[in-house]
Amino acid sequence: MAFEGVDFLRLDELLSDEERLARASVRDFVSREFLPRIQEHVRRDGSFPMELVPKMAELGLFGANLHGFGCAGMNHVAYGLVMQELERGDSGLRSFASVQGSLVMYPIHTWGSEAQKQRWLPPLAAGRAIGCFGLTEPDFGSFVSGMTAKAVHRGDRWVLNGTKRWITNGSIADVAIVWARSEDGIRGFLVEKGTPGLVTSDIRGKFSLRGSITSELSLQDVEVPEASRLPGAEGLRAPLGCLTQARYGIAWGAIGAAQGCYDTALRYAQSRVQFDLPIAHHQLVQDKLVRMLSGITKGQLLAYRLGQLKEEGKARFDQISLAKRDNVRMALEVAREAREILGASGITDEHAIGRHMANLESVDTYEGTHDIHTLIVGASITGFEAYR
Ligand SMILES: Cc1cc2nc3c(=O)[nH]c(=O)nc-3n(C[C@H](O)[C@H](O)[C@H](O)COP(=O)(O)OP(=O)(O)OC[C@H]3O[C@@H](n4cnc5c(N)ncnc54)[C@H](O)[C@@H]3O)c2cc1C
C-alpha cells in the first residue's frame, strides 16, 4: 500500500497546491526510486546511490528554497515538506540535500562573489557538482570556535592548514567550503577537488548513516587564490548561519523518519496476531501508537509554524534550535517504540525502522547536539550562557 503520510490534525488543509505538489513528487521519488535501493547501500557502509543525483536535481532538491542560478525557489514550507519526504527515505538522503543546499549553496549564495555564484551555483543546483562543508575538527565539535585550522594570507593567495572530520560527502565533493582561522578571524574558503595538499579519506565502521559518505579532510599547505575566499563571510556567524538553515530542514526531516516508522508499526500491529487478537487490539500497543502519533502531530505543528515565521523573515536561531532538538528526539523515541511493536522483526533490515533508529543517533548529534540546543534555548530564555 502506498505511503499516505500522517495528518491527524488536518494540517494538509493549510497547505497550498504548490506545497502539496512538492511533497507528492518527492514522496513518489522516495517510494519508487530510493527505497528499493537503500538497503544495498546500507549493507555496504559509506555508499550513496549516486545514480539518483540527476533525478534529485531534476526535482529541484538542491538549494530548493534559494532563488536564481537554476534553484527551484520554493517557499520555506514546501522546502520543509521536501526534507520531510526525503528523510522518510533515509536521513542520509536528506543529509545529502541539506549539505548541498544549506551548507554549500547557501553560503555561496549569501556571502559569495558574483564570480563564485556564477561558477558554482548552477552546477550544484543541477547536481553536476557536489559540495561539502568542513567545519568540525577532530578536537573541536560542539566548541567549534576553538578550531585550529589556519588560513595565512600570502600576497594574493591563502595557505590553509588543518584537519576537518565527520564531513558529509567530503571524499566525493568537487568543492569543499573550509572554515579556518585567519589573523582577522574565521573565514570561509572554496577549495576545489584536486587542489594540491588536500587529501580525503572516508570514515568506516559506522552503525549510523551508513547510506551516506562521511570523510576526513586533511589540508597541508593548500594554496587558494583570494578569489576563493567567500568575501562576505566574516567570523563564526557565517558558518553558524549555514547551520541555522540546515537545522530548519532537519526539524522537518525528522518528522519524515518518524512518520515512516509509525506507518510501518501501525500496519504491522493491525495484522500481527498474538493471544488470538491483532496486537493493535491490546491496550499497551495502542498506548505506544498514540504516543507516536502525538509526538508526530506536535512536531508537525512546530515545523509548520516555524515555516510560517521563516517565510515572514522572523524565524530566530533559538526557535530553530528548539525545533531541531525536539523533533529529532521525538523521532528517535518514535523509532524505538516502533521497533518494540515489531518485536523480533524490528531488528532486521527488512523493515526501515532499525535503519531510521540508528540514523537518528547521528541526526541527534550533528548540527548541534541535543544538549547544545538545550543550552542555546536555555541561554535565550534566561540570559545566561551555560556552555562553559
Ligand atoms: C554522520 C555525521 C555527519 C556529519 N557531517 C558533518 C559535516 O558535513 N560537516 C561538519 O562540519 N561536521 C559534520 N558532523 C560533525 C557534527 O556536527 C559534530 O559531531 C557535532 O557538532 C558534535 O561534535 P562532537 O561529535 O565532536 O561531540 P562533542 O562536542 O565532543 O560532544 C560530546 C558530548 O559532550 C556534550 N557537550 C559538549 N559540550 C558541552 C557543554 N558545554 N555542556 C554540556 N554538554 C556538552 C555534547 O552534547 C555531546 O553529548 C557530522 C557528524 C556526523 C556523526
Side-chain angles (χ1 to χ4, degrees):
M1 260 202 294
F3 175 75
E4 284 176 0
V6 179
D7 188 22
F8 194 67
L9 274 192
R10 301 174 67 151
L11 285 168
D12 271 14
E13 292 175 12
L14 302 179
L15 301 180
S16 67
D17 289 346
E18 180 209 348
E19 289 158 356
R20 278 195 221 115
L21 186 67
R23 183 182 62 184
S25 58
V26 181
R27 185 173 289 175
D28 186 60
F29 163 74
V30 166
S31 297
R32 276 176 204 269
E33 313 242 19
F34 181 79
L35 287 174
R37 288 178 162 88
I38 181 62
Q39 190 187 60
E40 181 202 326
H41 288 275
V42 167
R43 285 181 177 170
R44 270 195 262 146
D45 187 13
S47 83
F48 181 84
M50 292 300 290
E51 69 276 16
L52 294 182
V53 170
K55 179 72 184 171
M56 292 172 75
E58 203 180 298
L59 287 168
L61 304 184
F62 300 138
N65 56 351
L66 299 176
H67 293 266
F69 304 97
C71 301
M74 289 181 196
N75 72 32
H76 294 294
V77 169
Y79 173 80
L81 290 165
V82 162
M83 295 294 128
Q84 171 188 290
E85 294 308 313
L86 290 175
E87 198 146 357
R88 180 182 66 97
D90 192 83
S91 300
L93 179 63
R94 198 266 311 135
S95 297
F96 195 102
S98 284
V99 169
Q100 184 91 344
S102 297
L103 299 183
V104 178
M105 296 171 70
Y106 173 82
I108 297 173
H109 198 275
T110 308
W111 298 298
S113 65
E114 195 51 37
Q116 290 167 346
K117 291 179 197 182
Q118 295 294 348
R119 162 88 173 88
W120 286 111
L121 292 177
L124 287 163
R128 292 194 306 275
I130 305 298
C132 74
F133 177 85
L135 180 65
T136 306
E137 299 186 355
D139 293 331
F140 294 95
S142 303
F143 181 40
V144 75
S145 56
M147 73 170 68
T148 57
K150 290 258 177 317
V152 176
H153 209 175
R154 246 184 238 152
D156 62 349
R157 302 186 75 74
W158 288 88
V159 182
L160 308 178
N161 277 287
T163 305
K164 299 290 176 180
R165 190 162 165 81
W166 302 109
I167 308 306
T168 302
N169 287 346
S171 63
I172 57 163
D174 300 288
V175 61
I177 305 243
V178 173
W179 299 95
R181 186 183 300 284
S182 75
E183 61 177 15
D184 299 323
I186 288 166
R187 296 288 182 267
F189 300 88
L190 301 172
V191 181
E192 293 191 31
K193 190 180 196 138
T195 305
L198 171 66
V199 177
T200 65
S201 56
D202 286 340
I203 296 170
R204 297 281 174 201
K206 293 180 294 170
F207 69 80
S208 174
L209 279 184
R210 288 173 61 86
S212 170
I213 296 162
T214 316
S215 318
E216 183 168 287
L217 312 182
S218 157
L219 299 108
Q220 281 193 357
D221 292 327
V222 169
E223 280 196 34
V224 294
E226 165 65 14
S228 292
R229 184 176 67 81
L230 289 171
E234 294 192 350
L236 200 58
R237 70 172 184 87
L240 294 184
C242 302
L243 294 178
T244 298
Q245 301 306 312
R247 289 165 181 167
Y248 171 76
I250 296 172
W252 281 92
I255 301 168
Q259 287 193 9
C261 293
Y262 169 79
D263 183 69
T264 305
L266 177 60
R267 288 172 200 240
Y268 187 87
Q270 287 167 329
S271 62
R272 171 78 175 164
V273 174
Q274 289 295 294
F275 298 94
D276 304 323
L277 289 167
I279 59 171
H281 198 284
H282 300 304
Q283 291 179 0
L284 291 177
V285 174
Q286 289 193 5
D287 179 50
K288 289 188 182 72
L289 290 166
V290 171
R291 274 206 302 267
M292 292 157 80
L293 175 68
S294 167
I296 290 168
T297 303
K298 286 187 261 184
Q300 287 173 315
L301 288 168
L302 187 54
Y304 183 77
R305 176 62 185 142
L306 202 56
Q308 286 181 322
L309 289 173
K310 200 159 162 49
E311 205 51 41
E312 293 166 19
K314 292 197 263 182
R316 297 194 318 253
F317 72 92
D318 54 338
Q319 294 166 332
I320 291 177
S321 279
L322 183 80
K324 188 272 183 185
R325 172 189 185 276
D326 285 18
N327 281 3
V328 175
R329 192 53 67 92
M330 172 279 289
L332 248 182
E333 283 162 11
V334 165
R336 286 173 184 152
E337 296 214 285
R339 205 293 304 152
E340 214 179 325
I341 288 175
L342 265 71
S345 302
I347 71 153
T348 72
D349 64 4
E350 181 195 343
H351 301 282
I353 291 171
R355 175 163 55 77
H356 281 306
M357 191 165 64
N359 282 343
L360 287 162
E361 291 292 343
S362 284
V363 183
D364 200 58
T365 284
Y366 73 22
E367 308 269 354
T369 69
H370 180 86
D371 286 345
I372 291 297
H373 287 297
T374 303
L375 299 182
I376 291 172
V377 179
S380 158
I381 59 176
T382 65
F384 298 115
E385 289 190 343
Y387 307 106
R388 287 174 188 273

